[in-house]
Amino acid sequence: MARINQLKYYVLPTVYEVRWAEFTEKLLKHVLLSWRCLILFLREAQKIKNDEIDAKIHLKFLLNLRNLRLIAFLADAFFLFKNLQKHLQSDDLNIISLQSYLDNFNAHITDMKDGQKYLGGNEEKLEIDLVHENIADNNSSQIKLFDIVLDTLDSERTRGGQANKKRNIDVIRNNVVEQILKSMNKRFSSENDLKKILMPFVNFDRDGTNMSSAKHAI
Amino acid sequence: MHALSTHQPRITLEVGTQYRCSIVEAHLKAPYHIAAAKAALIKANTNIEAVTTLEKMISKSQEKLANRIGRYATCVFVDAKRLTLSAYSWPARLVAHEYGAAYNINNREQSANAIKKIPLQYVNPTSHAEILNCIVAVEGDLLSKKIENCIALSLRADGSVDRTNQDKIYVLAKIVNSEGKQETLFLGMGAQSQRGAGGLFNAIKEIINAAGEHLYLKVLKKMSSIVTDGASVNIGERSGLWKLIDDDAKVHNARQNILKIWCAAHRSDLSLKDLKKVINELPSVMRSLKKLSSFINKSSMRLALLREVRCSFKIVFFHSFSMITLTNDIFTSTVVKRWHA
């Protein structure tokens, strides 16, 4: 079976607490990297008596286009977060260099607003690999990923049997980006006064110093 | 061998023959015996001599490389046989290392003699921990001098629970040394015996003093800032760690006001938690993925099925961008857009 299918599986991490973005990003990325393998595995698991229900639920989740797009977007966002946190934990970080890392992160996250995808990221790759096909018989279309038909339904049934429409993926994307920017700004604004005092003295030489701000700080 | 003889000699058969000296001598000199003995030697992989001129040339000219390969092969072979890299597999690894280090392709006896001299007083996890303490003790004076001579010091402290469920406080110092360069020093770790900010403060003092005599006072006098997470035990206005250190600095006439900094990495983590609270879809997706991970990882049968499905084919689904696509995208997204802007 392995030879016939020729797929790759990345071990899904068992440690995935949102303590640091690295673990979350790893889980999201590995699910995407192993997607074809997981689909095949879940289809096989569906045939096993005790695993039937769970496998069906997971399969439905992974075959949903909206979910796939959300996972790909989150994997990109968490990738940026992971990189930021690695810089924040590095030895060469100080209160002055912190701002440049934050500015860089904010610029990248802002770029992901309004449907823009992270360049070279998972989301962009997913959109490239999606294939739209027209079905001749009933004049409708379907979306395939590696010859596997995806579920494009974006609503779920409530317990009462009513269809509950899920939020549009672009709305979620913008919401996430806005929230990250707002939250980061809130969390990192407490040192602004301190930075205002320190900054004029960082490059304290003839060319690099703004004398009026240094005088103001004194 | 078979080309030289049409039938198998009786001496090599199970029924055997009469072992007269003349028969044995003739057999030992026979070309089929010489060929068979050589084949058996190669098969046994013992003491292969470089016989041809070319082999001798290679073993002489590439002796260093051959020795290095031999060294690695010895170590890897032992690791593969032990099937574990745990600390308790060290005796075998120690012997393999000594054997490999003395390995010489042109002098096989050298490595064999080397292992005879090993005292086998190897390092096990317990003695390893003891030796680590010795290193700290030796480094203590150097650490004290570095801190005495530094221009400024920033203290960092955080607690962490390890795999054995031991809650420990880790203390680091970032200094600007006398040459104006930044350096990060690990001052030590220890358990907190009392509760609250007072207990934490005392634990930090003990940890620092354990690294060097009266080191805490030296640290306090050079301290320009303290970095911790935002737990109330640290930042509490009335009796938090920051306040206790401030008070202690005043008692010991430390030279300056200490800046208090909330760790940036912890703050970024908190903003992630904010995100989880506001965006409902995020916890829901993560929950589904966790369940999927548990579904697979918690059953050996499912893992076995997954192993059956997966393959050795080295094409990765995502991240398989060619450089041309990537450069084209960079071009269109940055250059063209700006051109039209």
Side-chain angles (χ1 to χ4, degrees), chain B residues 123-172:
Chain B
V123 183
N124 61 22
T126 319
S127 51
H128 186 269
E130 281 171 11
I131 292 168
L132 269 181
N133 283 332
C134 298
I135 295 168
V136 172
V138 170
E139 289 284 303
D141 287 342
L142 190 70
L143 200 68
S144 291
K145 272 181 194 162
K146 268 190 180 177
I147 288 169
E148 265 177 60
N149 297 331
C150 74
I151 298 166
L153 180 147
S154 172
L155 191 77
R156 286 104 202 270
D158 192 20
S160 177
V161 182
D162 66 12
R163 281 191 169 211
T164 54
N165 280 337
Q166 286 193 26
D167 194 354
K168 287 198 171 155
I169 311 293
Y170 295 81
V171 185
L172 285 103

Short mmCIF file of all heavy atoms in Angstrom, two decimals, chain B residues 123-172:
data_model
loop_
_atom_site.label_atom_id
_atom_site.label_comp_id
_atom_site.label_asym_id
_atom_site.label_seq_id
_atom_site.Cartn_x
_atom_site.Cartn_y
_atom_site.Cartn_z
N VAL B 123 31.01 7.49 33.05
CA VAL B 123 30.11 8.48 33.66
C VAL B 123 28.67 7.98 33.53
O VAL B 123 28.20 7.71 32.44
CB VAL B 123 30.25 9.83 32.92
CG1 VAL B 123 29.38 10.88 33.57
CG2 VAL B 123 31.69 10.26 32.91
N ASN B 124 28.01 7.84 34.66
CA ASN B 124 26.58 7.51 34.61
C ASN B 124 25.78 8.77 34.99
O ASN B 124 26.37 9.77 35.38
CB ASN B 124 26.25 6.32 35.51
CG ASN B 124 26.58 6.59 36.95
OD1 ASN B 124 26.66 7.73 37.35
ND2 ASN B 124 26.78 5.54 37.72
N PRO B 125 24.47 8.77 34.85
CA PRO B 125 23.71 9.99 35.10
C PRO B 125 23.96 10.61 36.48
O PRO B 125 24.01 11.83 36.62
CB PRO B 125 22.26 9.53 34.96
CG PRO B 125 22.32 8.40 34.03
CD PRO B 125 23.59 7.69 34.32
N THR B 126 24.15 9.77 37.50
CA THR B 126 24.37 10.31 38.85
C THR B 126 25.71 11.04 38.92
O THR B 126 25.78 12.18 39.40
CB THR B 126 24.36 9.16 39.88
OG1 THR B 126 23.31 8.25 39.52
CG2 THR B 126 24.14 9.67 41.27
N SER B 127 26.76 10.38 38.43
CA SER B 127 28.07 11.04 38.49
C SER B 127 28.12 12.24 37.56
O SER B 127 28.82 13.22 37.83
CB SER B 127 29.19 10.05 38.16
OG SER B 127 28.91 9.39 36.96
N HIS B 128 27.34 12.18 36.47
CA HIS B 128 27.28 13.30 35.54
C HIS B 128 26.75 14.54 36.26
O HIS B 128 27.30 15.64 36.14
CB HIS B 128 26.36 12.93 34.37
CG HIS B 128 26.33 13.94 33.28
ND1 HIS B 128 25.41 14.96 33.26
CD2 HIS B 128 27.10 14.10 32.18
CE1 HIS B 128 25.62 15.70 32.18
NE2 HIS B 128 26.64 15.20 31.51
N ALA B 129 25.68 14.35 37.06
CA ALA B 129 25.09 15.47 37.82
C ALA B 129 26.09 16.02 38.83
O ALA B 129 26.20 17.24 39.02
CB ALA B 129 23.83 15.00 38.52
N GLU B 130 26.86 15.12 39.46
CA GLU B 130 27.85 15.56 40.44
C GLU B 130 28.95 16.40 39.78
O GLU B 130 29.38 17.42 40.30
CB GLU B 130 28.48 14.34 41.12
CG GLU B 130 27.58 13.76 42.19
CD GLU B 130 28.08 12.42 42.71
OE1 GLU B 130 29.23 12.05 42.40
OE2 GLU B 130 27.30 11.74 43.40
N ILE B 131 29.38 15.92 38.61
CA ILE B 131 30.43 16.65 37.89
C ILE B 131 29.95 18.03 37.45
O ILE B 131 30.69 19.00 37.49
CB ILE B 131 30.93 15.82 36.67
CG1 ILE B 131 31.67 14.58 37.18
CG2 ILE B 131 31.88 16.62 35.79
CD1 ILE B 131 31.95 13.54 36.13
N LEU B 132 28.66 18.10 37.09
CA LEU B 132 28.09 19.40 36.71
C LEU B 132 28.21 20.40 37.85
O LEU B 132 28.53 21.57 37.64
CB LEU B 132 26.62 19.23 36.34
CG LEU B 132 26.30 18.96 34.88
CD1 LEU B 132 24.80 18.85 34.70
CD2 LEU B 132 26.84 20.05 33.97
N ASN B 133 27.95 19.93 39.09
CA ASN B 133 28.08 20.80 40.26
C ASN B 133 29.51 21.29 40.42
O ASN B 133 29.75 22.42 40.80
CB ASN B 133 27.67 20.04 41.53
CG ASN B 133 26.16 19.96 41.62
OD1 ASN B 133 25.48 20.83 41.10
ND2 ASN B 133 25.65 18.91 42.25
N CYS B 134 30.48 20.39 40.13
CA CYS B 134 31.90 20.77 40.24
C CYS B 134 32.20 21.90 39.26
O CYS B 134 32.90 22.85 39.58
CB CYS B 134 32.80 19.60 39.93
SG CYS B 134 32.58 18.25 41.06
N ILE B 135 31.63 21.78 38.05
CA ILE B 135 31.89 22.81 37.04
C ILE B 135 31.38 24.16 37.53
O ILE B 135 32.05 25.17 37.44
CB ILE B 135 31.21 22.43 35.70
CG1 ILE B 135 31.85 21.17 35.13
CG2 ILE B 135 31.36 23.56 34.68
CD1 ILE B 135 31.10 20.55 33.99
N VAL B 136 30.17 24.16 38.11
CA VAL B 136 29.61 25.41 38.63
C VAL B 136 30.51 25.99 39.71
O VAL B 136 30.80 27.18 39.73
CB VAL B 136 28.17 25.17 39.15
CG1 VAL B 136 27.65 26.40 39.87
CG2 VAL B 136 27.26 24.81 38.00
N ALA B 137 31.00 25.14 40.60
CA ALA B 137 31.86 25.60 41.68
C ALA B 137 33.14 26.21 41.13
O ALA B 137 33.61 27.25 41.60
CB ALA B 137 32.16 24.45 42.62
N VAL B 138 33.71 25.58 40.12
CA VAL B 138 34.96 26.09 39.53
C VAL B 138 34.71 27.41 38.82
O VAL B 138 35.51 28.34 38.91
CB VAL B 138 35.54 25.02 38.55
CG1 VAL B 138 36.68 25.61 37.75
CG2 VAL B 138 35.99 23.80 39.32
N GLU B 139 33.55 27.50 38.15
CA GLU B 139 33.23 28.70 37.39
C GLU B 139 32.80 29.85 38.29
O GLU B 139 32.70 30.98 37.84
CB GLU B 139 32.10 28.40 36.39
CG GLU B 139 32.52 27.51 35.23
CD GLU B 139 33.34 28.24 34.20
OE1 GLU B 139 32.84 29.25 33.67
OE2 GLU B 139 34.46 27.81 33.92
N GLY B 140 32.50 29.55 39.57
CA GLY B 140 31.99 30.55 40.50
C GLY B 140 32.84 31.80 40.58
O GLY B 140 32.34 32.92 40.49
N ASP B 141 34.16 31.64 40.74
CA ASP B 141 35.07 32.80 40.87
C ASP B 141 35.05 33.66 39.62
O ASP B 141 35.02 34.89 39.68
CB ASP B 141 36.50 32.30 41.13
CG ASP B 141 36.63 31.76 42.54
OD1 ASP B 141 35.74 32.09 43.36
OD2 ASP B 141 37.58 31.01 42.81
N LEU B 142 35.07 32.95 38.48
CA LEU B 142 35.07 33.66 37.19
C LEU B 142 33.78 34.48 37.05
O LEU B 142 33.82 35.64 36.61
CB LEU B 142 35.17 32.61 36.07
CG LEU B 142 35.41 33.15 34.67
CD1 LEU B 142 36.81 33.73 34.55
CD2 LEU B 142 35.25 32.02 33.66
N LEU B 143 32.68 33.84 37.47
CA LEU B 143 31.37 34.49 37.40
C LEU B 143 31.35 35.74 38.28
O LEU B 143 30.92 36.82 37.86
CB LEU B 143 30.31 33.49 37.88
CG LEU B 143 28.88 33.71 37.49
CD1 LEU B 143 28.70 33.50 36.00
CD2 LEU B 143 27.98 32.74 38.24
N SER B 144 31.88 35.60 39.50
CA SER B 144 31.93 36.74 40.44
C SER B 144 32.73 37.89 39.84
O SER B 144 32.33 39.05 39.92
CB SER B 144 32.59 36.32 41.75
OG SER B 144 31.77 35.43 42.42
N LYS B 145 33.88 37.56 39.24
CA LYS B 145 34.73 38.60 38.68
C LYS B 145 34.03 39.31 37.52
O LYS B 145 34.11 40.52 37.39
CB LYS B 145 36.05 37.98 38.18
CG LYS B 145 37.08 37.92 39.28
CD LYS B 145 38.37 37.34 38.81
CE LYS B 145 39.23 37.00 40.04
NZ LYS B 145 40.29 36.07 39.73
N LYS B 146 33.35 38.49 36.70
CA LYS B 146 32.64 39.08 35.55
C LYS B 146 31.59 40.06 36.03
O LYS B 146 31.44 41.14 35.46
CB LYS B 146 31.95 37.96 34.74
CG LYS B 146 32.80 37.41 33.63
CD LYS B 146 31.99 36.50 32.74
CE LYS B 146 32.86 35.97 31.63
NZ LYS B 146 32.18 35.03 30.77
N ILE B 147 30.86 39.67 37.07
CA ILE B 147 29.78 40.53 37.58
C ILE B 147 30.37 41.77 38.26
O ILE B 147 29.87 42.88 38.08
CB ILE B 147 28.85 39.72 38.51
CG1 ILE B 147 28.02 38.76 37.65
CG2 ILE B 147 27.95 40.62 39.34
CD1 ILE B 147 27.25 37.73 38.38
N GLU B 148 31.47 41.60 38.99
CA GLU B 148 32.11 42.75 39.64
C GLU B 148 32.58 43.78 38.63
O GLU B 148 32.49 44.98 38.85
CB GLU B 148 33.33 42.27 40.44
CG GLU B 148 33.03 42.02 41.90
CD GLU B 148 34.24 41.47 42.61
OE1 GLU B 148 35.27 42.17 42.63
OE2 GLU B 148 34.18 40.33 43.10
N ASN B 149 33.10 43.28 37.49
CA ASN B 149 33.67 44.19 36.49
C ASN B 149 32.69 44.70 35.46
O ASN B 149 33.05 45.52 34.63
CB ASN B 149 34.82 43.48 35.75
CG ASN B 149 35.95 43.12 36.69
OD1 ASN B 149 36.15 43.81 37.69
ND2 ASN B 149 36.64 42.05 36.41
N CYS B 150 31.44 44.21 35.50
CA CYS B 150 30.51 44.61 34.43
C CYS B 150 30.02 46.04 34.66
O CYS B 150 30.09 46.58 35.76
CB CYS B 150 29.34 43.64 34.34
SG CYS B 150 28.15 43.78 35.63
N ILE B 151 29.53 46.64 33.57
CA ILE B 151 29.03 48.02 33.65
C ILE B 151 27.60 48.02 34.17
O ILE B 151 27.22 48.84 35.00
CB ILE B 151 29.10 48.69 32.25
CG1 ILE B 151 30.55 48.75 31.77
CG2 ILE B 151 28.50 50.08 32.28
CD1 ILE B 151 30.71 49.08 30.30
N ALA B 152 26.78 47.11 33.64
CA ALA B 152 25.37 47.03 34.08
C ALA B 152 24.90 45.59 34.00
O ALA B 152 25.46 44.79 33.24
CB ALA B 152 24.51 47.91 33.21
N LEU B 153 23.88 45.29 34.78
CA LEU B 153 23.38 43.92 34.82
C LEU B 153 21.85 43.91 34.82
O LEU B 153 21.22 44.72 35.50
CB LEU B 153 23.92 43.23 36.08
CG LEU B 153 23.55 41.78 36.34
CD1 LEU B 153 24.69 41.07 37.03
CD2 LEU B 153 22.29 41.64 37.17
N SER B 154 21.31 43.01 34.03
CA SER B 154 19.85 42.84 34.01
C SER B 154 19.55 41.42 34.48
O SER B 154 20.05 40.46 33.92
CB SER B 154 19.35 43.06 32.58
OG SER B 154 17.99 42.74 32.51
N LEU B 155 18.72 41.31 35.53
CA LEU B 155 18.44 40.00 36.12
C LEU B 155 17.15 39.43 35.52
O LEU B 155 16.18 40.17 35.34
CB LEU B 155 18.29 40.14 37.63
CG LEU B 155 18.26 38.83 38.41
CD1 LEU B 155 19.66 38.26 38.55
CD2 LEU B 155 17.65 39.04 39.79
N ARG B 156 17.17 38.16 35.19
CA ARG B 156 15.98 37.50 34.66
C ARG B 156 15.66 36.27 35.51
O ARG B 156 16.56 35.49 35.79
CB ARG B 156 16.21 37.00 33.22
CG ARG B 156 16.23 38.07 32.18
CD ARG B 156 17.64 38.36 31.72
NE ARG B 156 17.74 39.68 31.12
CZ ARG B 156 17.56 39.91 29.84
NH1 ARG B 156 17.31 38.92 29.04
NH2 ARG B 156 17.64 41.12 29.37
N ALA B 157 14.40 36.13 35.90
CA ALA B 157 14.03 34.96 36.70
C ALA B 157 12.66 34.45 36.24
O ALA B 157 11.75 35.24 35.96
CB ALA B 157 13.96 35.34 38.17
N ASP B 158 12.57 33.15 36.12
CA ASP B 158 11.27 32.56 35.74
C ASP B 158 11.20 31.13 36.28
O ASP B 158 12.23 30.46 36.42
CB ASP B 158 11.14 32.55 34.21
CG ASP B 158 9.71 32.22 33.78
OD1 ASP B 158 8.79 32.36 34.61
OD2 ASP B 158 9.52 31.81 32.62
N GLY B 159 10.00 30.70 36.57
CA GLY B 159 9.80 29.34 37.07
C GLY B 159 9.40 28.41 35.94
O GLY B 159 8.79 28.82 34.97
N SER B 160 9.76 27.15 36.09
CA SER B 160 9.35 26.17 35.08
C SER B 160 9.25 24.79 35.73
O SER B 160 10.07 24.44 36.58
CB SER B 160 10.40 26.15 33.96
OG SER B 160 10.07 25.17 33.03
N VAL B 161 8.24 24.05 35.30
CA VAL B 161 8.09 22.70 35.84
C VAL B 161 8.71 21.73 34.84
O VAL B 161 8.36 21.75 33.67
CB VAL B 161 6.60 22.36 36.04
CG1 VAL B 161 6.43 20.97 36.65
CG2 VAL B 161 5.94 23.40 36.92
N ASP B 162 9.63 20.90 35.32
CA ASP B 162 10.29 19.97 34.39
C ASP B 162 9.49 18.67 34.26
O ASP B 162 8.42 18.52 34.85
CB ASP B 162 11.75 19.73 34.79
CG ASP B 162 11.89 18.99 36.11
OD1 ASP B 162 10.87 18.48 36.60
OD2 ASP B 162 13.01 18.93 36.64
N ARG B 163 10.03 17.73 33.52
CA ARG B 163 9.32 16.49 33.23
C ARG B 163 9.07 15.64 34.48
O ARG B 163 8.20 14.80 34.51
CB ARG B 163 10.13 15.66 32.24
CG ARG B 163 9.95 16.15 30.84
CD ARG B 163 10.53 15.18 29.86
NE ARG B 163 10.11 15.57 28.51
CZ ARG B 163 9.93 14.72 27.54
NH1 ARG B 163 10.13 13.44 27.73
NH2 ARG B 163 9.56 15.12 26.35
N THR B 164 9.91 15.86 35.50
CA THR B 164 9.73 15.07 36.72
C THR B 164 8.83 15.82 37.72
O THR B 164 8.87 15.54 38.91
CB THR B 164 11.09 14.76 37.37
OG1 THR B 164 11.77 16.01 37.55
CG2 THR B 164 11.94 13.84 36.52
N ASN B 165 8.09 16.81 37.21
CA ASN B 165 7.15 17.59 38.02
C ASN B 165 7.82 18.40 39.12
O ASN B 165 7.23 18.64 40.16
CB ASN B 165 6.07 16.69 38.63
CG ASN B 165 4.99 16.38 37.63
OD1 ASN B 165 4.81 17.12 36.66
ND2 ASN B 165 4.30 15.28 37.84
N GLN B 166 9.06 18.79 38.92
CA GLN B 166 9.74 19.63 39.90
C GLN B 166 9.67 21.08 39.43
O GLN B 166 10.10 21.40 38.32
CB GLN B 166 11.19 19.20 40.03
CG GLN B 166 11.33 17.90 40.80
CD GLN B 166 12.76 17.64 41.21
OE1 GLN B 166 13.54 18.56 41.37
NE2 GLN B 166 13.09 16.39 41.37
N ASP B 167 9.12 21.91 40.31
CA ASP B 167 8.98 23.33 39.98
C ASP B 167 10.28 24.03 40.36
O ASP B 167 10.66 24.03 41.53
CB ASP B 167 7.79 23.90 40.77
CG ASP B 167 7.38 25.24 40.23
OD1 ASP B 167 8.08 25.76 39.35
OD2 ASP B 167 6.36 25.79 40.68
N LYS B 168 10.96 24.59 39.38
CA LYS B 168 12.24 25.22 39.68
C LYS B 168 12.29 26.65 39.17
O LYS B 168 11.63 27.00 38.20
CB LYS B 168 13.37 24.41 39.04
CG LYS B 168 13.60 23.11 39.78
CD LYS B 168 14.94 22.52 39.45
CE LYS B 168 15.18 21.35 40.38
NZ LYS B 168 16.08 20.38 39.83
N ILE B 169 13.09 27.45 39.87
CA ILE B 169 13.28 28.84 39.45
C ILE B 169 14.63 28.91 38.73
O ILE B 169 15.64 28.42 39.23
CB ILE B 169 13.33 29.79 40.68
CG1 ILE B 169 12.16 29.53 41.64
CG2 ILE B 169 13.40 31.24 40.26
CD1 ILE B 169 10.82 29.88 41.09
N TYR B 170 14.63 29.48 37.56
CA TYR B 170 15.85 29.62 36.77
C TYR B 170 16.25 31.10 36.76
O TYR B 170 15.42 31.96 36.51
CB TYR B 170 15.63 29.13 35.34
CG TYR B 170 15.35 27.64 35.28
CD1 TYR B 170 14.08 27.13 35.56
CD2 TYR B 170 16.37 26.74 34.99
CE1 TYR B 170 13.84 25.77 35.54
CE2 TYR B 170 16.14 25.38 34.97
CZ TYR B 170 14.86 24.90 35.24
OH TYR B 170 14.63 23.55 35.23
N VAL B 171 17.52 31.35 37.08
CA VAL B 171 17.98 32.75 37.17
C VAL B 171 19.11 33.00 36.17
O VAL B 171 20.10 32.26 36.14
CB VAL B 171 18.46 33.08 38.61
CG1 VAL B 171 18.81 34.55 38.73
CG2 VAL B 171 17.39 32.71 39.63
N LEU B 172 18.93 34.02 35.37
CA LEU B 172 19.95 34.40 34.39
C LEU B 172 20.30 35.88 34.58
O LEU B 172 19.51 36.64 35.15
CB LEU B 172 19.44 34.23 32.96
CG LEU B 172 19.32 32.82 32.42
CD1 LEU B 172 17.88 32.39 32.44
CD2 LEU B 172 19.82 32.78 31.00
#
